[in-house]
Amino acid sequence: MSRSAHPAGPRHADVLPEGHYSAPPADLNTLDPKVWAQTVDRGADGVVRVGGVDVKALAEEFGTPAYFLDEADFRARARAWRTAFGQDADVFYAGKAFLSRAVVRWLHEEGLNLDVCSGGELATALSAGMPADRIAFHGNNKSTEEIHRAVEAGVGRIVLDSFQEIVRVAHIAQELGKRQRVQIRVTVGVEAHTHEFIATAHEDQKFGIPLAGGQAAEAVRRALKLDGLELIGIHSHIGSQIFDTSGFEVAAHRVVGLLKDIRDEHGVELPEIDLGGGLGIAYTSADDPREPHEIAKALTEIVTRECEGARLRTPRISVEPGRAIVGPTAFTLYEVGTIKPLDGLRTYVSVDGGMSDNIRTALYDAEYSVALVSRTSDAEPMLARVVGKHCESGDIVVKDAFLPADLAPGDLIAVPATGAYCRSMASNYNHVLRPPVVAVKDGDAQVIVRRETEEDLLRLDVG
Ligand code: LLP
């Protein structure tokens, strides 16, 4: 089929149904550096490259769909967080955003710590050589077995999430003849400005122990009495994909308030405060994320000011960015399949993946960008919806985006900013195989998570 042979559909700005988009961008060939990984650019031949390797070569070698991760960018972002917070603070990368053994090694080399929230994440971290004392173990329903493994391995901290868990961890630590360093996760009652499903500091939800009604203070009382625990601090995580620091400000104020109450009641100044993760990234050109050094400055100032006000020694701060480190570093490469123009609506562009490699659009109504990357085009913009191959009408990858009207089956398109919560939330829906993650750096591409095979799938079937 020639590039222009498919039937004419809604091509440009004079047919614009309801949607998230604004006007089509002036030039569809230009890649906004805000949403693409650092080393991504378009070569003189029009083909987009990452780490010096062009996407046609990558597609040929590794197939599509696939996630391509810019290793230099990942390391630079990890380092930027580390440097911004300096020696008096700790940066824990949140493994839930994306974890693999290679990533664990990079983090170790760049001097970051790691936040894990399941036995699987813990196993990955330990097997790739992350020292246990640099691991924080999270979760609202850690199993006895997980706690046992974490304490036995000697994790640097367990973040306690409930009254029951306080007793459970203390008991297991005592059984193992250890004293486990712990923090208590509190909910500070902040409404973070983000999607309801990823906001975590309001009280009506499953995470943490509310400050309200003195519950957190009671948790501290109990933890301080138990021999198996060494209470080192208070933890707060207010949500995810947040752009302004005002929520953190309120959280810091309330957490420091608790530290002061603890000092007054028990004569103990807890040495640490963890403000969680949650910093937003640019998924589209409309997003304006803050830089790590701005965030570090703001958070450090808030905590210092609050502590001075309460006459407390400033505790050691830690943060847990996941998305802000890995999110912008990868894009998903797809091959265009069926193209279906719907008169007066938009053109449906089907790709060879979908909600199994990126559930975020279906789950959070997330917005993404997309670009034709295997060539340039001077064709006019066409309002497109990029959809997957799953048996579900909500299987949308990019809800509203402009792509050139001469888009054709076989073209490669890429969705940027898919490093976080895409591979890590991938599924086998419709027995579609989960894509590989390929790290690209200095002209070299290395598979760090291989593509799933039908054999992998069949291996789980019994009988
Ligand atoms: N610390 C804790 C305790 C967390 O629960 C999380 C994320 C983080 C740190 C890292 O947050 P980040 O810096 O990555 O925003 N699947 C959702 C996001 C869920 C976040 C869960 N917890 C999404 O795709 O938007």
Side-chain angles (χ1 to χ4, degrees), residues 94 96-97 115 138 185 197-198 200 207 235 237 239-241 276-279 283 320-324 360 364 420-421 425:
K96 66 206 82 182
D115 139 12
H138 271 279
R185 175 162 173 180
F197 293 175
I198 51 178
T200 54
F207 292 111
H235 183 287
H237 170 74
S240 206
Q241 187 58 4
L279 278 311
Y283 284 102
E320 299 170 338
R323 186 192 320 265
R360 300 195 65 262
Y364 315 118
Y421 304 111
M425 293 176 83

Short mmCIF file of all heavy atoms in Angstrom, two decimals, residues 94 96-97 115 138 185 197-198 200 207 235 237 239-241 276-279 283 320-324 360 364 420-421 425, ligand 1:
data_model
loop_
_atom_site.label_atom_id
_atom_site.label_comp_id
_atom_site.label_asym_id
_atom_site.label_seq_id
_atom_site.Cartn_x
_atom_site.Cartn_y
_atom_site.Cartn_z
N ALA A 94 12.72 4.55 43.67
CA ALA A 94 11.54 3.70 43.90
C ALA A 94 11.47 2.64 42.81
O ALA A 94 11.08 2.92 41.67
CB ALA A 94 10.28 4.55 43.93
N LYS A 96 9.50 0.38 42.09
CA LYS A 96 8.22 0.05 41.45
C LYS A 96 8.07 0.73 40.09
O LYS A 96 7.33 0.26 39.24
CB LYS A 96 7.06 0.41 42.38
CG LYS A 96 6.88 1.88 42.64
CD LYS A 96 6.21 2.13 43.98
CE LYS A 96 7.23 2.06 45.10
NZ LYS A 96 6.73 2.22 46.43
N ALA A 97 8.77 1.83 39.89
CA ALA A 97 8.65 2.55 38.61
C ALA A 97 9.21 1.69 37.47
O ALA A 97 8.62 1.59 36.40
CB ALA A 97 9.38 3.89 38.67
N ASP A 115 14.34 1.71 47.09
CA ASP A 115 13.09 1.41 47.81
C ASP A 115 12.41 0.25 47.09
O ASP A 115 12.20 0.29 45.89
CB ASP A 115 12.25 2.71 47.86
CG ASP A 115 10.75 2.57 47.63
OD1 ASP A 115 10.21 1.46 47.64
OD2 ASP A 115 10.11 3.62 47.45
N HIS A 138 9.08 -1.37 51.77
CA HIS A 138 7.78 -0.72 51.89
C HIS A 138 6.64 -1.70 51.70
O HIS A 138 6.85 -2.81 51.22
CB HIS A 138 7.63 0.29 50.76
CG HIS A 138 8.15 1.65 51.09
ND1 HIS A 138 7.43 2.54 51.82
CD2 HIS A 138 9.31 2.26 50.76
CE1 HIS A 138 8.13 3.65 51.94
NE2 HIS A 138 9.28 3.51 51.31
N ARG A 185 5.20 5.06 58.58
CA ARG A 185 4.59 5.86 57.51
C ARG A 185 3.29 6.47 58.02
O ARG A 185 2.40 5.76 58.48
CB ARG A 185 4.32 4.99 56.29
CG ARG A 185 3.58 5.78 55.21
CD ARG A 185 3.66 5.12 53.87
NE ARG A 185 2.81 5.80 52.90
CZ ARG A 185 2.70 5.42 51.64
NH1 ARG A 185 3.40 4.39 51.20
NH2 ARG A 185 1.92 6.07 50.83
N PHE A 197 -6.28 7.93 42.00
CA PHE A 197 -5.70 6.62 42.26
C PHE A 197 -4.23 6.70 42.68
O PHE A 197 -3.67 5.72 43.14
CB PHE A 197 -5.78 5.72 41.02
CG PHE A 197 -7.18 5.34 40.63
CD1 PHE A 197 -7.40 4.62 39.47
CD2 PHE A 197 -8.26 5.69 41.40
CE1 PHE A 197 -8.68 4.27 39.09
CE2 PHE A 197 -9.55 5.34 41.04
CZ PHE A 197 -9.76 4.62 39.88
N ILE A 198 -3.57 7.84 42.43
CA ILE A 198 -2.16 7.91 42.80
C ILE A 198 -1.89 9.00 43.85
O ILE A 198 -0.77 9.43 44.04
CB ILE A 198 -1.24 8.07 41.56
CG1 ILE A 198 -1.69 9.20 40.64
CG2 ILE A 198 -1.15 6.78 40.78
CD1 ILE A 198 -0.78 9.42 39.45
N THR A 200 -1.89 9.76 47.88
CA THR A 200 -1.78 8.82 49.00
C THR A 200 -1.66 9.46 50.37
O THR A 200 -1.26 8.79 51.32
CB THR A 200 -0.53 7.93 48.81
OG1 THR A 200 0.60 8.78 48.64
CG2 THR A 200 -0.66 6.98 47.66
N PHE A 207 -2.98 3.26 52.77
CA PHE A 207 -1.58 3.42 53.18
C PHE A 207 -1.44 4.21 54.49
O PHE A 207 -2.18 5.16 54.73
CB PHE A 207 -0.79 4.16 52.10
CG PHE A 207 -0.61 3.35 50.84
CD1 PHE A 207 -1.27 3.72 49.67
CD2 PHE A 207 0.20 2.22 50.82
CE1 PHE A 207 -1.11 2.98 48.51
CE2 PHE A 207 0.36 1.48 49.67
CZ PHE A 207 -0.29 1.85 48.51
N HIS A 235 7.89 8.68 57.98
CA HIS A 235 7.82 8.65 56.52
C HIS A 235 6.48 9.19 56.04
O HIS A 235 5.43 8.90 56.62
CB HIS A 235 7.98 7.20 56.05
CG HIS A 235 8.00 7.05 54.58
ND1 HIS A 235 6.87 7.19 53.79
CD2 HIS A 235 9.02 6.79 53.72
CE1 HIS A 235 7.21 7.02 52.53
NE2 HIS A 235 8.50 6.77 52.45
N HIS A 237 4.48 9.89 52.15
CA HIS A 237 4.50 9.92 50.67
C HIS A 237 3.12 10.42 50.26
O HIS A 237 2.11 9.78 50.52
CB HIS A 237 4.75 8.52 50.12
CG HIS A 237 4.54 8.40 48.63
ND1 HIS A 237 5.44 8.91 47.71
CD2 HIS A 237 3.53 7.87 47.91
CE1 HIS A 237 4.99 8.67 46.49
NE2 HIS A 237 3.83 8.04 46.59
N GLY A 239 1.83 11.24 47.17
CA GLY A 239 1.20 10.88 45.89
C GLY A 239 2.21 10.93 44.77
O GLY A 239 3.42 11.01 45.03
N SER A 240 1.73 10.88 43.54
CA SER A 240 2.64 10.72 42.41
C SER A 240 2.24 11.66 41.28
O SER A 240 1.07 12.04 41.17
CB SER A 240 2.55 9.26 41.95
OG SER A 240 3.72 8.85 41.32
N GLN A 241 3.21 12.00 40.42
CA GLN A 241 3.01 12.93 39.30
C GLN A 241 2.49 14.27 39.82
O GLN A 241 1.48 14.81 39.39
CB GLN A 241 2.08 12.31 38.23
CG GLN A 241 1.90 13.09 36.92
CD GLN A 241 3.20 13.36 36.17
OE1 GLN A 241 4.26 12.93 36.53
NE2 GLN A 241 3.14 14.14 35.10
N GLY A 276 9.16 10.80 50.79
CA GLY A 276 8.59 10.00 49.72
C GLY A 276 9.02 10.45 48.33
O GLY A 276 9.98 11.18 48.14
N GLY A 277 8.26 9.96 47.36
CA GLY A 277 8.55 10.33 45.97
C GLY A 277 7.43 11.19 45.43
O GLY A 277 6.80 11.92 46.18
N GLY A 278 7.19 11.10 44.14
CA GLY A 278 6.00 11.74 43.59
C GLY A 278 6.23 12.90 42.65
O GLY A 278 5.27 13.49 42.16
N LEU A 279 7.49 13.26 42.39
CA LEU A 279 7.70 14.41 41.52
C LEU A 279 7.34 14.11 40.07
O LEU A 279 7.71 13.07 39.54
CB LEU A 279 9.15 14.91 41.62
CG LEU A 279 9.42 15.83 42.83
CD1 LEU A 279 8.38 16.93 42.91
CD2 LEU A 279 9.45 15.09 44.14
N TYR A 283 4.99 14.53 30.24
CA TYR A 283 4.49 13.53 29.29
C TYR A 283 4.15 14.21 27.96
O TYR A 283 4.20 13.58 26.91
CB TYR A 283 3.24 12.83 29.84
CG TYR A 283 3.56 11.82 30.92
CD1 TYR A 283 3.38 12.11 32.27
CD2 TYR A 283 4.07 10.57 30.58
CE1 TYR A 283 3.69 11.18 33.25
CE2 TYR A 283 4.38 9.63 31.56
CZ TYR A 283 4.20 9.94 32.88
OH TYR A 283 4.51 9.01 33.85
N GLU A 320 12.26 9.56 47.68
CA GLU A 320 12.13 8.30 46.94
C GLU A 320 11.59 8.52 45.53
O GLU A 320 10.51 8.06 45.20
CB GLU A 320 11.16 7.38 47.71
CG GLU A 320 11.64 7.03 49.09
CD GLU A 320 10.58 6.33 49.93
OE1 GLU A 320 9.37 6.47 49.63
OE2 GLU A 320 10.96 5.64 50.88
N PRO A 321 12.35 9.21 44.69
CA PRO A 321 11.85 9.42 43.34
C PRO A 321 11.93 8.15 42.50
O PRO A 321 12.93 7.43 42.54
CB PRO A 321 12.81 10.48 42.78
CG PRO A 321 14.08 10.25 43.54
CD PRO A 321 13.69 9.77 44.90
N GLY A 322 10.87 7.85 41.78
CA GLY A 322 10.90 6.73 40.83
C GLY A 322 10.72 7.28 39.43
O GLY A 322 11.65 7.34 38.62
N ARG A 323 9.51 7.77 39.18
CA ARG A 323 9.15 8.29 37.87
C ARG A 323 10.13 9.38 37.38
O ARG A 323 10.53 9.38 36.22
CB ARG A 323 7.75 8.91 37.95
CG ARG A 323 7.17 9.37 36.62
CD ARG A 323 5.92 10.23 36.82
NE ARG A 323 5.03 9.77 37.86
CZ ARG A 323 3.96 8.99 37.65
NH1 ARG A 323 3.62 8.64 36.44
NH2 ARG A 323 3.21 8.60 38.68
N ALA A 324 10.54 10.28 38.31
CA ALA A 324 11.35 11.41 37.89
C ALA A 324 12.73 10.97 37.41
O ALA A 324 13.41 11.70 36.69
CB ALA A 324 11.48 12.41 39.04
N ARG A 360 -1.36 2.90 31.56
CA ARG A 360 -1.57 4.16 32.25
C ARG A 360 -2.68 5.02 31.62
O ARG A 360 -3.40 5.71 32.31
CB ARG A 360 -0.26 4.96 32.34
CG ARG A 360 0.83 4.21 33.11
CD ARG A 360 1.99 5.11 33.52
NE ARG A 360 1.57 6.13 34.46
CZ ARG A 360 1.28 7.35 34.16
NH1 ARG A 360 1.41 7.78 32.92
NH2 ARG A 360 0.86 8.21 35.06
N TYR A 364 -5.42 5.74 34.28
CA TYR A 364 -5.40 7.09 34.88
C TYR A 364 -5.79 8.18 33.90
O TYR A 364 -5.60 9.35 34.18
CB TYR A 364 -4.00 7.43 35.40
CG TYR A 364 -3.29 6.36 36.17
CD1 TYR A 364 -2.08 5.83 35.71
CD2 TYR A 364 -3.80 5.88 37.37
CE1 TYR A 364 -1.42 4.84 36.42
CE2 TYR A 364 -3.13 4.90 38.09
CZ TYR A 364 -1.95 4.38 37.61
OH TYR A 364 -1.28 3.42 38.32
N ALA A 420 8.68 4.85 33.23
CA ALA A 420 8.13 4.53 34.55
C ALA A 420 6.73 3.95 34.43
O ALA A 420 5.91 4.44 33.65
CB ALA A 420 8.08 5.79 35.42
N TYR A 421 6.46 2.94 35.23
CA TYR A 421 5.12 2.37 35.36
C TYR A 421 4.53 1.87 34.04
O TYR A 421 3.32 1.85 33.87
CB TYR A 421 4.17 3.36 36.05
CG TYR A 421 4.69 3.81 37.40
CD1 TYR A 421 5.12 5.13 37.61
CD2 TYR A 421 4.80 2.92 38.45
CE1 TYR A 421 5.64 5.53 38.84
CE2 TYR A 421 5.31 3.31 39.69
CZ TYR A 421 5.73 4.61 39.87
OH TYR A 421 6.24 5.00 41.09
N MET A 425 4.25 -2.31 34.98
CA MET A 425 2.82 -2.62 35.12
C MET A 425 2.31 -3.42 33.92
O MET A 425 1.11 -3.53 33.70
CB MET A 425 2.02 -1.32 35.26
CG MET A 425 2.31 -0.57 36.55
SD MET A 425 1.45 1.02 36.64
CE MET A 425 -0.17 0.51 37.21
N1 LLP B 1 7.64 6.10 47.64
C1 LLP B 1 6.48 5.47 47.91
C2 LLP B 1 6.20 5.06 49.29
C3 LLP B 1 5.58 5.21 46.87
O1 LLP B 1 4.44 4.60 47.14
C4 LLP B 1 5.90 5.61 45.57
C5 LLP B 1 4.97 5.37 44.46
C6 LLP B 1 7.11 6.26 45.33
C7 LLP B 1 7.96 6.50 46.39
C8 LLP B 1 7.55 6.70 43.97
O2 LLP B 1 6.71 7.64 43.41
P1 LLP B 1 7.16 8.38 42.04
O3 LLP B 1 8.35 9.23 42.37
O4 LLP B 1 7.49 7.33 41.06
O5 LLP B 1 5.97 9.17 41.67
N2 LLP B 1 1.36 3.52 38.86
C9 LLP B 1 1.17 4.95 39.07
C10 LLP B 1 2.06 5.49 40.13
C11 LLP B 1 1.92 4.75 41.44
C12 LLP B 1 2.90 5.24 42.44
C13 LLP B 1 2.96 4.33 43.61
N3 LLP B 1 3.88 4.72 44.61
C14 LLP B 1 1.38 5.67 37.73
O6 LLP B 1 1.65 5.02 36.75
O7 LLP B 1 1.24 6.88 37.67
#
